[in-house]
Amino acid sequence: MELVKFFKDLFPKKEIKPKRLWHISDTHSYHRLLTIPENIDIVIHSGDESNSKDQYKNEPEFRDFILWFANLKIKHKIFVAGNHSSFVFHNKKEVNKICKYYNIIYLENDWILVDGISIWGSPVTPNFGNWWFMKDRSKMDKLYSSIPEWIDIVVSHGPPKKILDLSYDRNNNLESCGCRSLRNHILNRVKPKYCLFGHIHNTEDIINAGTVKLSNYETIFSNGSVVTDGKFGKLSSNGNILEI
């Protein structure tokens, strides 16, 4: 607890100067269709920059995204992978090298301080199908227990339970796909200014992309996914612009 108090005193939230943040997610190799907003200080991509499951087909998608991301006229660029990021999953050392070369911050279950703003990021989501960066739901609590309490922005690829996370299961029944452990840590322990995620896209009749704030809680939740299931190739969102 003394260590927690030390970091809270070191990074007091009230001293953070306002910054404009662009949150995007689940571009699935269609990043070049996005409209780049002006006067942005930080851009955060919360996973699924690419699409192919095979890591060899995934690699050129990843590299094309990184070149696009690196050339954005935005000072700070933060990238978190997702369950479609097979090249990242198999080549962490290479990905770290590439991101460092292009001045991109890659976060994998770790945190960084950017202009006085503390940001923690993870690509891990609960198991669903045979994809990458996934764990059994029973193991998620241990992961989220590692989020420091002084963090201002939590970036996870997947959403918290019952927050912008509605989709259809294999039997075509509506389901809240988010992680209960993430929700508990965000609402009851960490209480960050923002919780950013994607993973659960819009469907034809469900809107998940956007922001929401729950009654009696200060955290703002942002689903930055930009595609609609079954309609990849035409964006349904341009991400979310936030201020911190």
Side-chain angles (χ1 to χ4, degrees):
M1 292 302 296
E2 289 299 320
L3 184 60
V4 170
K5 184 178 184 303
F6 169 78
F7 277 106
K8 280 187 173 181
D9 291 342
L10 188 61
F11 308 134
K13 297 185 180 182
K14 64 182 180 181
E15 294 182 4
I16 296 174
K17 295 181 180 179
K19 303 288 182 182
R20 276 170 54 85
L21 187 157
W22 183 32
H23 172 218
I24 50 176
S25 190
D26 297 80
T27 48
H28 287 285
S29 79
Y30 294 103
H31 43 270
R32 295 184 185 276
L33 298 181
L34 288 164
T35 300
I36 314 304
E38 297 181 351
N39 302 315
I40 298 295
D41 301 294
I42 304 170
V43 57
I44 298 179
H45 192 293
S46 57
D48 283 1
E49 77 298 335
S50 49
N51 196 46
S52 300
K53 190 171 187 178
D54 182 275
Q55 64 170 307
Y56 299 104
K57 294 179 181 178
N58 192 282
E59 179 179 0
E61 295 177 345
F62 166 78
R63 291 184 183 275
D64 183 69
F65 164 76
I66 287 296
L67 285 174
W68 171 84
F69 203 52
N71 281 291
L72 294 178
K73 305 302 181 184
I74 299 172
K75 182 179 180 181
H76 301 292
K77 305 174 183 71
I78 297 170
F79 168 58
V80 173
N83 62 300
H84 280 254
S85 304
S86 59
F87 179 73
V88 182
F89 181 86
H90 288 94
N91 299 275
K92 181 178 177 180
K93 188 174 182 179
E94 177 71 8
V95 167
N96 277 321
K97 181 180 177 181
I98 292 169
C99 288
K100 185 176 181 180
Y101 178 82
Y102 285 110
N103 199 29
I104 294 168
I105 298 167
Y106 172 62
L107 292 178
E108 186 176 319
N109 309 324
D110 203 356
W111 70 279
I112 191 75
L113 190 67
V114 176
D115 279 356
I117 302 168
S118 50
I119 305 168
W120 182 94
S122 173
V124 181
T125 53
N127 282 333
F128 183 81
N130 183 24
W131 293 92
W132 314 107
F133 291 112
M134 288 188 164
K135 290 182 181 291
D136 188 87
R137 287 184 184 269
S138 64
K139 298 180 180 180
M140 298 300 288
D141 189 69
K142 182 178 180 180
L143 169 65
Y144 296 128
S145 293
S146 69
I147 306 175
E149 292 185 13
W150 63 87
I151 290 295
D152 297 301
I153 301 175
V154 171
V155 185
S156 59
H157 178 53
K161 190 75 171 179
K162 295 185 178 181
I163 301 177
L164 302 175
D165 70 336
L166 273 180
S167 191
Y168 291 99
D169 64 17
R170 291 185 175 91
N171 297 315
N172 207 36
N173 297 314
L174 273 179
E175 177 185 9
S176 286
C177 304
C179 180
R180 191 176 303 278
S181 292
L182 177 59
R183 179 188 175 102
N184 288 340
H185 281 279
I186 293 297
L187 294 181
N188 301 319
R189 184 179 64 83
V190 184
K191 303 176 183 178
K193 176 66 176 176
Y194 288 107
C195 177
L196 313 183
F197 51 88
H199 188 44
I200 307 301
H201 317 142
N202 290 345
T203 66
E204 191 168 331
D205 58 345
I206 300 170
I207 302 299
N208 286 307
T211 63
V212 69
K213 183 176 178 292
L214 305 183
S215 298
N216 301 319
Y217 293 96
E218 293 302 314
T219 298
I220 296 172
F221 297 89
S222 171
N223 184 327
S225 62
V226 302
V227 296
T228 295
D229 286 342
K231 295 183 178 181
F232 283 21
K234 182 178 181 180
L235 302 188
S236 54
S237 166
N238 201 61
N240 301 318
I241 296 178
L242 313 167
E243 186 174 280
I244 182 167

